């Protein structure tokens, strides 16, 4: 799955309100059923990459909290998550094209922002399968490379446009009218 947009994530939730919302943060590692959605953040990002190109996008970050010692048999229903989202969107309109990230950590797993790599319906559960985000080089994403090119130039230096050379001509050498030629 490519980066999941907020609108697509929300539509998946709306299509499955009666399911139980589960989050898997690593192979066979699940966010505890007692989790809370503590906040939803919207982060507009503006950056300049190593090639000097301006980039901008928005991230919508859903933060999960796993309380210590609280026991719960089942995780929240999707409908409860939707009610939290409704409260958030009344105060903060979320960018429908924002990239969804889930922020989570506990005593065994350092807090980090992860990307939903799959949304899986498994019996009564809607499972959000999370995987770590990776760092990318935008020069590579634009079709460039990362590292020195064949001329030894660094990949990330700004692209300089080479202008074609113009051949100048001596227009007086081909002139038909010269002093004493009688043409004037």
């Amino acid at each position: 799955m490519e980066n999941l947009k907020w609108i697509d994530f929300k539509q998946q939730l709306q299509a499955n309100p009666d399911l139980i919302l589960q989050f898997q943060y690593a192979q066979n590692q699940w966010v505890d059923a007692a989790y809370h959605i503590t906040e939803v953040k919207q982060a507009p990002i503006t950056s300049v990459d190593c090639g000097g190109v301006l980039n901008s996008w928005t991230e919508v970050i859903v933060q999960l909290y796993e309380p210590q010692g609280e026991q719960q048999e089942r995780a929240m229903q999707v409908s409860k998550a939707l009610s939290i989202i409704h409260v958030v969107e009344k105060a903060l309109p979320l960018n429908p094209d924002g990239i969804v990230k889930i922020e989570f950590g506990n005593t065994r797993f350092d807090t980090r922002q992860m990307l939903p790599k799959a949304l899986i319906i498994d019996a009564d559960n809607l499972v959000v399968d999370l995987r770590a985000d990776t760092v990318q080089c935008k020069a590579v994403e634009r079709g460039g490379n990362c590292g020195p090119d064949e001329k030894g130039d660094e990949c990330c230096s700004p692209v300089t446009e080479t202008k074609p050379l113009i051949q100048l001509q001596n227009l007086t050498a081909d002139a038909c009218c010269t002093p004493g030629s009688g043409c004037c």
Side-chain angles (χ1 to χ4, degrees):
M1 173 185 288
E2 288 192 29
N3 287 338
L4 184 62
K5 292 182 179 182
W6 177 251
I7 191 168
D8 298 325
F9 181 69
K10 188 175 165 186
Q11 286 173 346
Q12 284 288 332
L13 296 177
Q14 290 169 331
N16 298 288
D18 297 326
L19 296 180
I20 304 300
L21 187 57
Q22 301 276 0
F23 294 89
Q24 178 176 293
Y25 62 89
Q27 190 68 27
N28 297 318
Q29 299 292 313
W30 300 83
V31 174
D32 189 80
Y35 75 85
H36 298 261
I37 296 175
T38 56
E39 65 183 9
V40 178
K41 309 171 196 180
Q42 180 163 256
I45 311 288
T46 303
S47 72
V48 176
D49 65 34
C50 57
V53 176
L54 183 69
N55 303 281
S56 63
W57 67 94
T58 301
E59 295 176 357
V60 176
I61 304 153
V62 178
Q63 185 182 70
L64 304 179
Y65 169 67
E66 195 177 86
Q68 294 294 318
E70 192 173 317
Q71 297 296 314
Q72 195 165 313
E73 208 171 289
R74 287 175 29 157
M76 74 172 65
Q77 275 192 287
V78 171
S79 59
K80 181 173 181 177
L82 284 167
S83 69
I84 294 167
I85 290 167
H86 179 72
V87 169
V88 169
E89 289 186 324
K90 281 174 56 175
L92 176 66
L94 297 173
N95 182 337
D97 292 327
I99 297 168
V100 175
K101 290 193 173 181
I102 307 296
E103 185 174 75
F104 172 74
N106 61 23
T107 57
R108 299 170 313 281
F109 188 77
D110 291 337
T111 301
R112 66 188 77 175
Q113 293 178 359
M114 295 171 283
L115 295 169
K117 289 299 181 186
L119 298 175
I120 304 160
I121 295 175
D122 181 21
D124 293 336
N125 299 299
L126 177 60
V127 177
V128 182
D129 186 23
L130 302 172
R131 293 298 173 253
D133 195 2
T134 58
V135 175
Q136 301 93 25
C137 177
K138 291 194 175 36
V140 171
E141 291 175 1
R142 288 191 303 271
N145 64 332
C146 219
D149 63 14
E150 62 277 350
K151 294 184 267 180
D153 294 332
E154 290 297 321
C155 72
C156 301
S157 58
V159 177
T160 55
E161 184 180 329
T162 56
K163 296 181 180 180
L165 295 176
I166 297 174
Q167 183 70 26
L168 297 177
Q169 294 180 350
N170 184 351
L171 298 176
T172 60
D174 296 333
C176 65
C177 293
T178 56
S181 68
C183 67
C184 300

